[in-house]
Each structure stands twice: as C-alpha cells, then as structure tokens.
Amino acid sequence: MTPPDAASPHHLLLGSCDYPEHVPRDCWETYARRQRELGLTFVRLAEFAWSRLEPRPGEFDWAWLDEAVEAYHREGLRVVLCTPTATPPAWLIRTHPEILPVDEEGRVREFGSRRHYDFASPVYREHSRRITRAMAERYGQHPAVVGWQTDNEFACHGTGRSYGGASAAAFPGWLRERYGTLDALNEAWGNVFWSMEYGDWGQIKPPNLTVTEANPAHILDFSRFASDQIASFQREQVDLLRELSPGRFVTHNFMIFESGFDHYEVARGLDFATWDNYPTGMLEFFAQGIVGEEDRNHFARTGHPDLVGWNHDVYRGLLRGAGRLGREGEGTPNGFWVMEQQCGQVNWAPFNPLPADGAVALWTAQAWAHGADVVSYFRWRAATMAQEVLHSGLLRHDETPDRGYAEVAALNQARFPLGEVPARVALLHDYESLWLLGAQPHSASLSYWAQTVTYYRALRSLGVDVDILHPDADLGGYAVVVAPAITLATEERAVRWATAVEGGARLVCGPRTGFRTPSGQAWAQGQPGPLAELLGVRLLQFDSLRSGLTQKVAGPEGDFQAHAWAESYRLAGAEATHTYVGGPQGGLPAVTRQGRATVIGAHSDALIRAVLRDVLAEAGVETVDLPDGVRLSRRAGVTLVQNWNPEAVTWEGRTLAPVSFEVVEESTPAGDDPRPARLG
Ligand code: GAL
C-alpha cells in the first residue's frame, strides 16, 4: 500500500502509540516497517519511559531510544516524543517522598502505578525541568522528531488536585497574590458565615475533610489554584521545548470529560490540542444523566455519537489559530489530533465490550469530520505485561492483526480532505461554572455535564454543527449562541454577550445562568446578575426535582414534562413563551424571550429541542430531524452521514448500513441527490 504521504499531504493522517521499551529490540525494525505498510505516518513514544531513560539519578541511557527512533526514521515515520513526567521513577520518589500527592481523604497516593506527583512540588518541578531539558537536548533537532507531547493526560485518575504537601503549602501564597489582604479574601468568600474568617494566611488549608460541605468560594479558588499549578507545570516544559526543539509542535493529550482543571488556561501556549478517544469506555463512565440505560445498551459497542462529538468539538475549540503537523502549510487553523484512539476493547471500564464491526472506521471518520487532522491509535501492540494486558492494540499479544487493523488498512484507501468545520452555532463551555455546579449541584440528577451535553445533543439531533467555545470567546459571526449552564456571570461577560446579540446573534441560555458572582456568591441584586437586562427576566423560584417527580410545562408546541430542574422568572422586559402548569410554580414563566435572547428554565430534552429548533429556524440555520444514532457532520465542503446504530436505518430514502458512514458532497443536511464524494 502507498503511504498516504505519497498523494496529497492535505488529508487526514494516521498514527499509533508504540512502546519499544515493552518489547525486545529485534521487534523495533519490524514494527516500524509494518506501521509504514499499514499506512501510518506518526508514532508516539516514551511517555512512560523515565525509568529506562534515567535508571539511576543523573545516569541517562539514551542508546535504546536512539536506536528505536532511528528504526522509525528509516521507515519514514514521524516521531512524536513525550516528556515522561507522568511516571516519576522509584528512585526519585523514595529520595523525595514529598513529591507524592495527597487525596481528598488526606491519604498519600503511593508509588506503583502512574501520575503519583503533586504539580506544586518545587522538587518535582526541578526534576520535570531536568528530564525535559535532557530529552530536548538529545532529540530536539532530530529529523524524525516532529513534535512533543507534554506528560500524559493531566489530572487522569483524579490527580488534578493534591490536598496536602506541596499544594497545601502553596495555596495560601496563591490566595495572597490574588486578594492582597485577608479582609478582601474574607469578604470575597463570605467567611462571616459560620465564623470562617481567617486572621492569618497560614490558617488557610485546602477545602477537604470539612465536617459538612466546604464553602463553594473556597472550593472555586482551590480549583483555580490547582488548575494554575498544572498550567505553570506545563509551561516550564513548553518553554524548554521551544528553546531546544525549534520548529517542532508542542501539544498535550487531554482527556474525556475531564473536570480537574481549566482546559482553556492549560492549553494556552500549545500549538494545538490533542485528546484520547475511548468511546465505549466513555459510555460506561460518563453517560450518567445524559444517555439513558436503554441507550447505553443500544450503543454499547460504538459509544454514543454525541458524547464523542462533544469531546471533539471541545478540543477543536480549545485553541484557535493553530494546527501544525510539523511541516509548514499543513493542517487547518483550528485543527486538533486524536492522540489515542481506541482500536479494540479497553480495560478500565466496569464493562468492556468488543467494539462493533466498523466502529474503528466510524470513530476515525467522525474525528476527521469534527476537525481532527491526525488520528493515532492506542496502541500498536497489546501489552503482554502489567496493568493493561486486557487492553487491545492494532496487533494482538502474538503480533497478529487484531479486529481494528483491517479497518485502519481500509481507511487508508480513502483521502479525507482537511478543511474548515462550517459551524454557525456556538455553544459556551466554562470550567469555573462546572466547578461551582459541582460544588453545589442542588439536584442529584443534573450535573454541569448532563445539563450542557443535553443542549449539545439536541443541536446534534437537529443535524447542526457546533463550535464549543469559552464564554468570553469572540462570538462574532455566529447565528446562534447557546449557553446551557454558564452559572458564573461577570460584568464583562454580560457586555460581550449583549454585543453578540446586538450584532445579530440569537442567544439561548439554560437554567442557573448568571446565578453566581466571580467568587461564587449569589448575585445580591438577584439573578441572572449582570445578564438581567439582556435577558429581560429576574429569577423567581428554582425547583430541584427528585427522580420520578416531574413538572408540566405548556407552550405552543404542546405539553412537556420537566425533570431534575425547573425554574421560573419575573418578567422584566421579556415575554413568556412557555408556562408551568400546576405545582408550586404553576402559572409562572418557564421559557422567556426578549428580542433575540431566550431563557429556558425547565430541563426537558423535548422542550430544549423544540425551542432550539425554532430559534435555529429564525436564525436561518437549516435543521433536519435525525433518527436516533444517525448524525451529520460537515467539513471541507462534504458531509459525513453516520449511522451509529447496530442495525440498518432508512433515512431520507437511503439505507444506512449498521455502524457505518458515507461521505456525500455538498454541505446540505438532506440534499435531494447527494452523491458519494470522491475522496482524494
Ligand atoms: C489512556 C492513557 C493510556 C492508556 C489508555 C488505556 O487514558 O493515556 O496510557 O492507559 O488510557 O485505555
């Protein structure tokens, strides 16, 4: 097979994650050749290899990695090297046990797996810089090395925050920088409540092990602090890599639905984002409150398209103006990579079903259609040792091709063109709001993720492409802006949103929008705080509905049943389009509208979908009612029609095979005569 490079460079490229340190030396040459023959372009190496790179303090062994890199280079593969700081070796931890992190229960998290470090540890920072410098000096200019990944999956396994040791020691100083005086901190946190006022910076600790819940303001600032530690930890590595490895990209492999840090802050300074896509594991772990039990069975072998799509769209929007593949002129302005793509079954979920036939190809095609420039499979060969022996690779333990391999080979016959994702709808996503709703969810049925992804899912079920952006991003040019759960409002944010609406955008806000100030208190003038004028409402009541308890809502489309959450408003300029019927909020507005600004106070999938459909129609964004599990994604002037269902679906006169995709020309949701596109 011809490597994809031989045709046009401007199409999706593939790669894999390989571990030369896990296999005998005589495998390296063969693996590199087989990867090239499969059509792979990239190989990612060494993210957990510290104990082999520096077996004893200051004693480096580069010979094996030199040889491995050369083996890939000879076959024309491009190497992505990683800083190995997710796995500090035993000698370092035993000499400096203070590097170890402390969990929320106050227990030290021990050596013996990975990610056992506190981001704030000055000792660990020094060693992180030392190993980064050593690797960058050795490989920074190697012709095979096209880029770097920092560390591996920050915050994975709940390691974004350490509640003792170095983090606990650094937290008061960080607060002092932020607030200047204790009076300012006590005021911002509202510490007069329950006599929580501090008289000395040294009295402040992380917000764990409190008798009952900690102050949400305390939790919010600790989350910001922890996020800052990750950002500055990474920045130290990025600075060294920029200095010693010029012309190479620097990225990080982010995670599925990770809440442990502000991704927008941590991504700053990277060339583009990458993320690790495990659709079946994601469905087991993160679908709570978003995808019902029946659907979880239905999509068990593919994962759910919108959970996966959500992550793609988050990472496409994390950084703008980047997207390099290591050579000038490639990639797209908002490009991202999937650094680890599931290509068989995973090992870490409660259940780990085999993916359906066609799933690996479908996942890859969806990644491309959502803006990925590269998809790299995890992992080349299944591990024969340690924690991940039950995880698949492209090759089985015995080096024969596993189920995903043939799908990857077939994908390489196609040429998926790079180009823009033409989204006219922006959905706003904010980690500070996530932390606040996490600190006080008030309804066990409605997390930040559940509320936000419900809106995303409604948009996707209407065949609409979505950009996911920070709430303070430039919103110019969008026809519709959706803010499902931005509970933290600032004066500046209110001005930005008002400017977008004045500029012609339609704004749709979900419940709890603008409830809190930037320090996590309730706005004293009432909610939605500084957004009140733009939205034309004042919050009246909010009702947390236990599972099984519903609240009826009536509107022009008919009746709806809200679950989990229902809030009502006093009209202050807006009009009510939907009203509660019966119950404590009977007769009060449930959905309101002032000019181009809509507020939806009730949580109901059907209501959210109906309101969004109307708003999209008014904004001139074409919608289409897609069957469950059928999705459309557009890129570079073509539409990817996907069927994620385990059975065939007939839609718009065409029969879509189970777990399959088709690429059609023209970016129409339901064109009259869509022709299969010629890819390449
Ligand atoms: C990822 C991680 C990999 C591997 C993989 C297994 O989260 O980055 O190292 O553990 O999961 O699915």
Side-chain angles (χ1 to χ4, degrees):
M1 180 184 301
T2 327
D5 226 359
S8 154
H10 302 295
H11 58 80
L12 177 74
L13 297 177
L14 306 177
S16 79
C17 305
D18 202 1
Y19 298 86
E21 70 275 26
H22 295 182
V23 295
R25 260 182 161 76
D26 58 10
C27 295
W28 301 348
E29 197 76 49
T30 322
Y31 287 5
R33 180 177 47 75
R34 290 181 70 181
Q35 287 170 22
R36 194 226 342 123
E37 285 169 357
L38 180 59
L40 305 186
T41 300
F42 292 92
V43 61
R44 185 196 67 175
L45 302 177
E47 78 275 23
F48 303 126
W50 196 339
S51 69
R52 287 294 170 98
L53 291 171
E54 191 184 11
R56 279 160 295 281
E59 203 179 290
F60 293 100
D61 177 5
W62 303 116
W64 69 271
L65 189 55
D66 288 355
E67 209 181 301
V69 168
E70 280 309 322
Y72 295 108
H73 189 38
R74 274 196 296 279
E75 294 295 338
L77 284 144
R78 303 181 206 168
V79 174
V80 179
L81 273 186
C82 309
T83 60
T85 44
T87 48
W91 60 257
L92 177 52
I93 293 301
R94 294 304 176 230
T95 326
H96 292 289
E98 70 273 26
I99 289 172
L100 292 170
V102 174
D103 74 7
E104 210 170 340
E105 303 302 320
R107 297 169 302 208
V108 171
R109 303 188 78 178
E110 252 301 343
F111 180 85
S113 64
R114 61 180 173 183
R115 302 218 50 77
H116 40 278
Y117 68 88
D118 182 332
F119 286 96
S121 161
V123 177
Y124 194 53
R125 289 289 184 101
E126 192 190 315
H127 285 276
S128 154
R129 290 191 300 267
R130 201 177 52 76
I131 189 70
T132 301
R133 173 176 285 283
M135 281 192 80
E137 280 174 349
R138 184 81 188 178
Y139 300 105
Q141 316 248 21
H142 193 291
V145 174
V146 294
W148 294 86
Q149 172 189 303
T150 59
D151 202 281
N152 191 80
E153 291 189 342
F154 289 140
C156 182
H157 315 304
T159 56
R161 291 163 201 170
S162 170
Y163 291 84
S167 277
F171 184 42
W174 183 92
L175 291 168
R176 191 175 196 155
E177 282 276 301
R178 186 176 175 88
Y179 291 102
T181 66
L182 280 167
D183 283 350
L185 177 134
N186 284 324
E187 177 70 23
W189 286 14
N191 281 338
V192 60
F193 191 80
W194 288 352
S195 266
M196 296 182 293
E197 286 167 304
Y198 296 106
D200 188 287
W201 294 101
Q203 293 166 353
I204 310 173
K205 293 189 167 186
N208 63 321
L209 296 174
T210 50
V211 171
T212 182
E213 64 176 306
N215 184 345
H218 188 177
I219 294 173
L220 177 63
D221 269 342
F222 188 66
S223 306
R224 287 172 172 147
F225 158 79
S227 187
D228 268 12
Q229 304 314 303
I230 300 178
S232 60
F233 177 88
Q234 177 175 251
R235 202 173 311 121
E236 293 179 358
Q237 295 195 359
V238 174
D239 288 350
L240 284 164
L241 294 168
R242 296 268 180 237
E243 177 196 330
L244 299 166
S245 191
R248 274 70 176 175
F249 65 76
V250 184
T251 186
H252 176 75
N253 60 332
F254 294 96
M255 286 187 66
I256 303 163
F257 289 109
E258 174 54 52
S259 308
F261 58 93
D262 186 331
H263 288 49
Y264 294 100
E265 290 299 325
V266 172
R268 236 180 255 247
L270 299 177
D271 289 294
F272 54 86
T274 72
W275 77 284
D276 297 344
N277 183 19
Y278 293 95
T280 65
M282 191 186 315
L283 188 73
E284 296 289 342
F285 253 81
F286 299 100
Q288 201 62 37
I290 309 171
V291 181
E293 191 52 27
E294 210 175 298
D295 270 358
R296 277 164 97 174
N297 281 324
H298 186 76
F299 293 109
R301 297 195 187 284
T302 54
H304 193 281
D306 301 331
L307 297 184
V308 183
W310 163 269
N311 285 279
H312 285 313
D313 292 345
V314 164
Y315 293 114
R316 188 178 73 250
L318 217 50
L319 278 156
R320 305 199 138 228
R324 298 184 313 169
L325 299 186
R327 291 187 317 195
E328 283 311 308
E330 287 190 6
T332 46
N334 301 329
F336 68 95
W337 291 24
V338 176
M339 189 61 95
E340 297 180 12
Q341 172 61 61
Q342 177 178 352
C343 60
Q345 85 200 118
V346 303
N347 66 320
W348 45 264
F351 300 99
N352 301 287
L354 282 171
D357 285 342
V360 174
L362 177 61
W363 295 331
T364 307
Q366 185 205 27
W368 159 75
H370 282 246
D373 292 342
V374 172
V375 173
S376 154
Y377 299 97
F378 184 90
R379 46 186 278 163
W380 171 245
R381 178 187 168 192
T384 57
M385 79 279 279
Q387 279 92 330
E388 294 184 349
V389 290
L390 300 177
H391 199 293
S392 313
L394 287 170
L395 300 185
R396 294 192 179 88
H397 298 115
D398 68 1
E399 301 179 326
T400 57
D402 208 341
R403 296 176 64 246
Y405 189 97
E407 292 181 31
V408 173
L411 279 168
N412 258 328
Q413 307 293 338
R415 295 282 179 268
F416 292 94
L418 303 190
E420 291 301 311
V421 172
R424 297 184 60 210
V425 176
L427 183 145
L428 307 182
H429 168 49
D430 171 38
Y431 292 89
E432 293 185 327
S433 293
L434 186 164
W435 296 330
L436 284 166
L437 288 173
Q440 296 189 310
H442 209 62
S443 166
S445 308
L446 201 59
S447 66
Y448 172 90
W449 291 123
Q451 187 167 320
T452 302
V453 179
T454 299
Y455 282 73
Y456 176 80
R457 190 180 178 182
L459 290 165
R460 283 282 168 197
S461 76
L462 292 163
V464 170
D465 295 297
V466 183
D467 279 347
I468 298 178
L469 299 175
H470 189 274
D472 298 328
D474 178 5
L475 300 173
Y478 288 101
V480 176
V481 175
V482 182
I486 307 299
T487 205
L488 188 154
T490 64
E491 305 280 354
E492 302 77 53
R493 192 165 287 175
V495 171
R496 274 178 183 278
W497 292 10
T499 307
V501 171
E502 276 157 30
R506 280 167 169 77
L507 174 68
V508 179
C509 297
R512 309 194 258 192
T513 297
F515 190 89
R516 309 231 184 204
T517 69
S519 54
Q521 314 295 352
W523 278 101
Q525 78 261 37
Q527 295 76 34
L531 290 162
E533 206 177 310
L534 173 63
L535 302 179
V537 295
R538 302 286 184 280
L539 180 67
L540 270 181
Q541 306 290 328
F542 49 92
D543 197 11
S544 157
L545 301 166
R546 74 188 321 280
S547 64
L549 184 63
T550 54
Q551 166 68 57
K552 188 168 163 184
V553 178
E557 310 87 351
D559 291 346
F560 301 91
Q561 292 296 338
H563 62 100
W565 195 269
E567 64 182 42
S568 54
Y569 310 97
R570 178 165 65 78
L571 300 175
E575 60 189 49
T577 58
H578 298 68
T579 307
Y580 291 111
V581 179
Q585 300 184 90
L588 295 174
V591 180
T592 69
R593 176 147 187 182
Q594 171 173 262
R596 287 189 287 270
T598 298
V599 183
I600 305 178
H603 191 74
S604 145
D605 299 23
L607 173 67
I608 290 165
R609 194 168 186 278
V611 173
L612 286 173
R613 191 210 265 114
D614 283 353
V615 172
L616 290 162
E618 282 171 24
V621 178
E622 201 173 342
T623 62
V624 50
D625 286 313
L626 294 172
D628 276 353
V630 173
R631 289 293 180 262
L632 306 179
S633 315
R634 299 168 193 82
R635 186 180 189 188
V638 294
T639 301
L640 187 79
V641 183
Q642 307 141 61
N643 180 19
W644 290 63
N645 293 293
E647 65 276 327
V649 173
T650 303
W651 173 71
E652 299 278 326
R654 50 188 28 227
T655 300
L656 307 169
V659 189
S660 69
F661 64 86
E662 290 177 23
V663 183
V664 295
E665 276 177 2
E666 309 300 341
S667 293
T668 56
D672 290 340
D673 176 28
R675 290 154 295 159
R678 291 184 317 280
L679 291 177

